[in-house]
Amino acid sequence: IKLKIVDIPVPITVGPAFEGETIRKKEAWVEFGGGRSPGFELVRMADADHVEDGKIEVVGPEIDEMPEGSVFPLGIIVDIYGRKMQEDFEGVLERRIHYFINYGEGLWHVAQRDLCWLRISKGAKEAGFKIRHFGELLIAKFKSDYPAIVDRVQVTLITDAQVIDEKIKIAREKYQARDARLKGLTDESVDTFYSCTLCQSFAPNHVCIVSPERVGLCGAVSWLDAKASNEITPTGPNQPITKGECLDEAKGMWKNLNDFLYTSSNRTLEEVNLYTLMDKPMTSCGCFEAIMAVLPLTNGVMITTREHSGDTPCGMSFSTLAGTCGGGVQTPGFMGIGRRYVVSSKFIPADGGLGRIVWMPKELKEYLKDELAERAVQLGLGADFVDKIADETVGITEEEILPFLEERQHPALKMDPLM
Ligand code: SF4
Ligand code: ZN
């Protein structure tokens, strides 16, 4: 392994060793985003004359003006100019912010886009870490990790409550535009899917297959991201796979995908189906945003999320489930997924699709609300289908939720037996 030592002008240690470091609320000097205050991060491609290389601007208070234990807004805008830079690369580079910040000792970052949530520890504050150092860290890492596409970088950090409201709109327009580009793409309209083997560092046989209608299970790698990432690093973790001969249209099995899987899973897996969780489903590593599990008594499936710590009708909480089906093995009846996959038109079509869902946490219902209703109408399940899905307020065992499903005439009860 070649270790790149980059000299980053920040008063804390920076390296992958700190990636897994958690900073609890009581250890934090200040926190940003995470639903407690507005927060966002955005990577933008810019013209040469709009990027002053190395420039860092803090709009609003610096850390010295932030009292211990306070919550502030934070907007991170990274403007990049590069002769080989493309708009399609923005999302991929933006995702790197998560890793780069977590490399800093005493810095903590979760989620992405306008959901991002950050903490600076008391220790980092004492060591002299300033808001502007986020800029130093990001500039150094973007330039050292992506020299082929990044020529100049400038960073704007917004901690002012008024200014962030106006800038977050720009970011949201960008996110929407990216999602809209993906929306027009279907699995049928492309002849190439992408692999993602980034997680093999801890789940050595795990292979994600990313298609236009199925985001990677971490929720952070879309088909467009995988494609862009492959252009940036052709020998990297995202390889194009021409679908080739289709072996099972309903379950979503292709010969070339199987061949790729066999080689990349170190010959532990021979076949994979993209459109079912019952038969040779995709493997799960450990960073799934959500997990689905079969509930035999209800003839349906449930979904729980990383954010939901409570028990669920399959008898396991998220963390217990994660231990059961993670690690890169196929576990029929269980599968890790990205949150947005739930509203995809390729959501387990071979198992009956959206109509199979009988339970999910209230928070996920709320998160996907409009799209769930839209998809339900498209599928002829009716706009009130969402109200037929049980949640933790209805019950946390199969026996508790079954009467609710019967009373509301949940469609899963009338579907073909799942098992
Ligand atoms: Fe890639 Fe899948 Fe890991 Fe996401 S979960 S980084 S898509 S291998
Ligand atoms: Zn993973």
Side-chain angles (χ1 to χ4, degrees), residues 68-203:
E68 182 173 341
S70 58
V71 177
F72 271 79
L74 181 66
I76 302 175
I77 302 178
V78 181
D79 288 307
I80 292 180
Y81 163 73
R83 272 155 302 161
K84 300 230 173 80
M85 179 67 187
Q86 295 179 26
E87 213 171 352
D88 283 350
F89 299 167
E90 290 177 345
V92 179
L93 297 184
E94 196 172 285
R95 184 59 187 155
R96 302 309 295 172
I97 294 177
H98 167 73
Y99 296 92
F100 294 162
I101 290 182
N102 276 327
Y103 286 170
E105 184 178 14
L107 306 181
W108 179 83
H109 181 288
V110 287
Q112 55 199 311
R113 290 188 171 182
D114 54 351
L115 295 171
C116 66
W117 183 12
L118 295 90
R119 283 177 180 153
I120 299 175
S121 76
K122 290 175 186 167
K125 158 81 167 61
E126 262 157 44
F129 189 85
K130 307 274 187 237
I131 303 297
R132 62 165 286 110
H133 289 132
F134 280 127
E136 299 282 7
L137 175 61
L138 293 172
I139 290 170
K141 289 298 285 174
F142 276 122
K143 293 190 80 166
S144 70
D145 283 21
Y146 297 98
I149 50 169
V150 174
D151 296 330
R152 297 182 196 168
V153 191
Q154 105 190 351
V155 175
T156 314
L157 299 148
I158 302 145
T159 55
D160 181 283
Q162 256 106 57
V163 179
I164 199 156
D165 280 343
E166 150 204 332
K167 299 288 184 194
I168 207 168
K169 285 187 204 135
I170 300 175
R172 286 183 177 143
E173 270 167 33
K174 270 277 188 191
Y175 306 149
Q176 268 164 20
R178 278 186 212 152
D179 291 345
R181 288 202 48 208
L182 195 60
K183 238 180 177 165
L185 289 166
T186 60
D187 286 5
E188 290 80 16
S189 69
V190 301
D191 57 13
T192 303
F193 291 167
Y194 285 87
S195 65
C196 189
T197 49
L198 207 59
C199 287
Q200 288 200 344
S201 54
F202 63 88

